[in-house]
Amino acid sequence: MTEQNTIERNAPADRDGGTGGDDPIVQVRGLTKTYGNGFEALKNIDLEIQRGEIFALLGPNGAGKTTLISVICGIVNATSGSVLVDGHDNVVDFRAARSLIGLVPQELTTDAFETVWATVSLSRGLFGKPSNPAHIEKVLKDLSLWDKKDSMIMSLSGGMKRRVLIAKALGHEPAVLFLDEPSAGVDVELRRAMWDVVLELQKSGVTIILTTHYIGEAEELADRVGVINHGEIVLVEEKTQLMQRFAQKRLTLHLNEALSEIPDSLTDFRLELSNDGNTLHYAFDAKGERTGITKLLTGLQAAGITFRDLDTQQNSLEDIFVDLVRNGA
Amino acid sequence: MTSHSFNRRTFNWQAVWALFKFEMARTRRTLMQSIISPVVSTCLYFVVFGSAIGSRITEIDGVSYGAFIVPGLIMLSLLTQSVSNASFAIYFPKFIGTVYEILSAPISYVEIVVGYVGAAALKSIILGLIILATASLIVPLKIAHPGMMLLFLVLTAVTFALLGFIIGIWAKNFEQLQVVPLLVITPLTFLGGTFYTLDMLPPIWQKISLFNPVVYLISGFRWSFSGNSDVSVGISLAMALLFLAMGLVTVWWIFKTGYRLKQ
């Protein structure tokens, strides 16, 4: 690729019409959506997406993820509430709002008989951007689609079609990118490659909102995580905090001889002794600087406590998620 | 990027142009189906009606029967092709899901209509002119009012492309997409004076025919060729404009309510 093909994406704050600064790039207020058949897909959603972050929206099937994205992008009319994109109302000021947004839908909805190049060019035009073959070339190369640019879309594999959809969204240089289940039906290698693209985009200043079933994807990519269930936002939190808050590890020691009580020298570790006295439990923060395990083991040795086996269990984001969805229901 | 910041009133010409180009490219790809097959079927009508029947009728209003049916045949193709072009153009993205992009783009309803209906209408106007050129090779033609001829051609193409657009949005499956062109438009065109003048009909059917909107379009169009018409050309023009207005109001309502698109 030549130097001149490298196009800088504008950081959102540099865009015209935007207010810039620290205010959220997407603001959702009191959003509800009731479908014609009476189904309440969204119930009074409030959500703010910060500039430049990767936000993962988690939720089971039918939770309202796609409806929420569809309303923000203007595909579905809201029943009530408002959406601001970089300060622009997405109904009143829909041109300004929508021109900032790129959407990669969940379904592989592509034309069949068009070429990759034609469909990406169409996207760019629809979003009011003047033609820029160099930018489209860069996008296609970044997504390893360059050699397929003249192929009919119907001849491509599922993973390639997914990338074509991403290329269409990136073709018009969005400031906010919505990825609805980007990993659905994509093999592990391609998923990794896509994560790299997402992280690169974030570096160039694009805000990314992704919905996913794969908790690993959220763990890998997201700065913040939101959980939606039955049309309500159950939780929004920094991923690291969330992991810290919930993601404690638990060390279980199976003792050689039952203890009647925990020795005074070990009270600092806040150990739990099982009723039969055969196992000791120690909770620690796996991501913390010091887990205290070495200290504990030294302490145990000093107290003359021996054990025949040990194991650790980790609370993953998946456990947290399952927990939230069950209890929040 | 200053020149491309949007405000509410900027017309998104880029988008209209992109849609238009995309639709026209589809025509080039489907040349057989879009242009050649209507031309062939029109030639068949000529052979069957013009030669077989025309040899017995000889003249209508001082025009040979072959020349008499030319405006009607052009209208027949214009109506059916405008409807099918536009209905397919919007139904197909709905069917395969690519409509998400149109709906999420910074493009107004007016621009969507201009793009789709404009492309569909232009295609059928081109088709109408090709049929006209083909016909002029077969029968001697004179066009008394070329300006009015073009006006009727454009008005009709746009109106029926709008109707097609509405059908494409309304249709929930391919059957519904076909049912209006097949059961409404084709019969109305055949009964609208393509192959005869109204005064050849029994009086009661002449009255009933006046409820057929296509009568006014064919009559006005034929007037622009021969100077003769079933109904006065002023009424034809007024009717054509009325149908166009009805189409525009319906499309406005569809987008206002999000009917079958955003609900």
Side-chain angles (χ1 to χ4, degrees):
Chain A
M1 191 185 320
T2 56
E3 279 296 310
Q4 66 194 34
N5 291 333
T6 317
I7 313 291
E8 289 292 317
R9 278 189 193 82
N10 286 2
D14 292 336
R15 289 186 178 247
D16 311 305
T19 41
D22 293 334
D23 58 314
I25 191 151
V26 178
Q27 265 180 300
V28 175
R29 290 196 198 120
L31 202 66
T32 60
K33 172 65 188 178
T34 309
Y35 283 105
N37 58 11
F39 177 68
E40 243 188 314
L42 299 176
K43 299 167 191 163
N44 199 25
I45 300 268
D46 289 303
L47 183 63
E48 292 190 344
I49 307 296
Q50 306 303 328
R51 273 165 213 284
E53 73 174 336
I54 298 181
F55 185 90
L57 190 60
L58 302 179
N61 284 324
K65 300 188 293 287
T66 300
T67 302
L68 178 57
I69 288 185
S70 299
V71 172
I72 296 175
C73 293
I75 297 170
V76 169
N77 289 337
T79 306
S80 65
S82 71
V83 175
L84 297 182
V85 183
D86 203 13
H88 306 286
D89 185 283
N90 84 330
V91 176
V92 183
D93 218 354
F94 72 94
R95 281 187 206 278
R98 291 189 200 165
S99 64
L100 296 171
I101 294 179
L103 167 65
V104 181
Q106 183 176 343
E107 306 285 335
L108 287 176
T109 46
T110 54
D111 286 299
F113 308 107
E114 304 298 335
T115 65
V116 172
W117 183 270
T119 194
V120 177
S121 302
L122 170 70
S123 303
R124 189 173 169 87
L126 281 177
F127 280 74
K129 296 274 167 29
S131 114
N132 183 347
H135 175 71
I136 294 179
E137 183 177 338
K138 177 175 166 22
V139 167
L140 292 181
K141 282 182 172 165
D142 285 352
L143 290 163
S144 316
L145 284 170
W146 182 241
D147 56 330
K148 296 286 176 193
K149 72 182 164 72
D150 298 318
S151 304
M152 264 195 210
I153 299 170
M154 65 188 285
S155 71
L156 303 182
S157 70
M160 284 179 188
K161 284 182 187 158
R162 172 80 53 198
R163 278 178 284 159
V164 169
L165 289 175
I166 298 177
K168 279 167 79 70
L170 296 181
H172 54 82
E173 301 164 75
V176 185
L177 181 67
F178 285 87
L179 293 162
D180 198 358
E181 304 271 353
S183 297
V186 160
D187 65 34
V188 180
E189 199 178 332
L190 181 55
R191 196 180 303 165
R192 285 265 157 211
M194 221 151 52
W195 290 353
D196 290 341
V197 172
V198 168
L199 291 170
E200 274 302 308
L201 282 170
Q202 186 190 26
K203 269 189 211 150
S204 70
V206 178
T207 307
I208 291 141
I209 296 135
L210 61 93
T211 71
T212 183
H213 275 117
Y214 299 101
I215 315 289
E217 193 158 65
E219 266 187 79
E220 188 86 14
L221 293 175
D223 299 310
R224 286 197 308 150
V225 173
V227 177
I228 185 170
N229 196 26
H230 296 296
E232 288 171 299
I233 298 276
V234 188
L235 164 142
V236 174
E237 204 166 324
E238 299 271 333
K239 181 189 68 188
T240 44
Q241 274 179 18
L242 184 68
M243 302 285 289
Q244 259 168 24
R245 191 147 67 88
F246 291 91
Q248 285 199 326
K249 267 195 159 181
R250 203 170 146 87
L251 171 68
T252 307
L253 297 164
H254 304 273
L255 305 179
N256 280 328
E257 287 163 37
L259 276 181
S260 53
E261 60 175 1
I262 298 163
D264 288 347
S265 60
L266 299 175
T267 44
D268 284 354
F269 295 102
R270 280 184 241 147
L271 298 173
E272 276 171 50
L273 185 63
S274 63
N275 287 337
D276 60 7
N278 279 324
T279 49
L280 270 176
H281 298 288
Y282 171 57
F284 64 96
D285 177 6
K287 306 240 159 162
E289 294 266 305
R290 296 217 168 96
T291 55
I293 293 175
T294 321
K295 239 180 174 177
L296 173 68
L297 295 185
T298 322
L300 285 172
Q301 203 175 21
I305 301 170
T306 56
F307 50 93
R308 55 187 163 81
D309 195 10
L310 82 174
D311 56 68
T312 63
Q313 291 124 18
Q314 176 153 33
N315 241 339
S316 67
L317 196 50
E318 183 137 9
D319 298 323
I320 301 166
F321 172 70
V322 169
D323 231 38
L324 274 169
V325 167
R326 279 217 190 107
N327 299 334
Chain B
M1 297 297 288
T2 13
S3 57
H4 287 281
S5 74
F6 279 112
N7 68 45
R8 256 161 260 180
R9 282 171 202 85
T10 334
F11 196 85
N12 191 349
W13 282 113
Q14 274 310 335
V16 174
W17 180 233
L19 260 186
F20 192 81
K21 264 198 309 198
F22 195 74
E23 280 303 303
M24 293 312 279
R26 198 160 61 83
T27 314
R28 278 198 295 280
R29 216 176 40 231
T30 55
L31 204 62
M32 275 307 274
Q33 176 196 332
S34 309
I35 302 283
I36 298 177
S37 78
V39 170
V40 168
S41 57
T42 307
C43 289
L44 287 176
Y45 283 126
F46 265 120
V47 172
V48 174
F49 289 92
S51 307
I53 299 175
S55 61
R56 286 156 196 255
I57 296 182
T58 63
E59 266 190 12
I60 294 178
D61 295 334
V63 187
S64 77
Y65 186 71
F68 171 82
I69 62 172
V70 169
L73 286 178
I74 294 175
M75 274 290 163
L76 182 65
S77 287
L78 199 67
L79 297 185
T80 47
Q81 290 302 311
S82 298
V83 169
S84 71
N85 274 332
S87 63
F88 193 77
I90 187 68
Y91 177 75
F92 200 60
K94 241 179 48 171
F95 177 70
I96 61 174
T98 51
V99 75
Y100 83 88
E101 191 171 37
I102 312 281
L103 297 178
S104 66
I107 174 169
S108 72
Y109 305 141
V110 176
E111 290 150 7
I112 296 177
V113 172
V114 172
Y116 276 120
V117 172
L122 181 65
K123 274 187 237 177
S124 50
I125 290 168
I126 292 172
L127 178 69
L129 294 175
I130 292 175
I131 293 173
L132 181 62
T134 316
S136 71
L137 299 176
I138 305 174
V139 289
L141 276 180
K142 69 172 181 100
I143 300 171
H145 310 278
M148 287 300 282
M149 193 272 292
L150 273 178
L151 181 65
F152 272 109
L153 201 64
V154 171
L155 269 180
T156 309
V158 171
T159 303
F160 279 76
L162 264 177
L163 176 63
F165 187 82
I166 294 163
I167 293 168
I169 286 177
W170 163 79
K172 282 184 171 168
N173 51 49
F174 277 99
E175 197 196 351
Q176 291 187 343
L177 193 67
Q178 302 289 351
V179 80
V180 177
L182 221 57
L183 294 185
V184 181
I185 293 170
T186 308
L188 286 182
T189 317
F190 274 89
L191 300 175
T194 307
F195 300 107
Y196 53 80
T197 57
L198 289 194
D199 54 26
M200 296 164 96
L201 297 174
I204 176 74
W205 283 104
Q206 290 187 29
K207 288 271 187 307
I208 292 172
S209 291
L210 293 178
F211 289 98
N212 179 354
V214 178
V215 163
Y216 300 92
L217 301 173
I218 292 183
S219 168
F221 195 55
R222 180 169 288 138
W223 170 85
S224 68
F225 281 78
S226 65
N228 299 320
S229 58
D230 287 327
V231 289
S232 95
V233 67
I235 293 177
S236 283
L237 193 59
M239 285 302 206
L241 290 169
L242 176 71
F243 302 145
L244 179 63
M246 283 163 58
L248 289 173
V249 168
T250 313
V251 164
W252 172 83
W253 174 83
I254 282 174
F255 282 125
K256 183 92 186 156
T257 58
Y259 174 74
R260 293 209 175 160
L261 277 177
K262 294 200 174 195
Q263 284 164 341

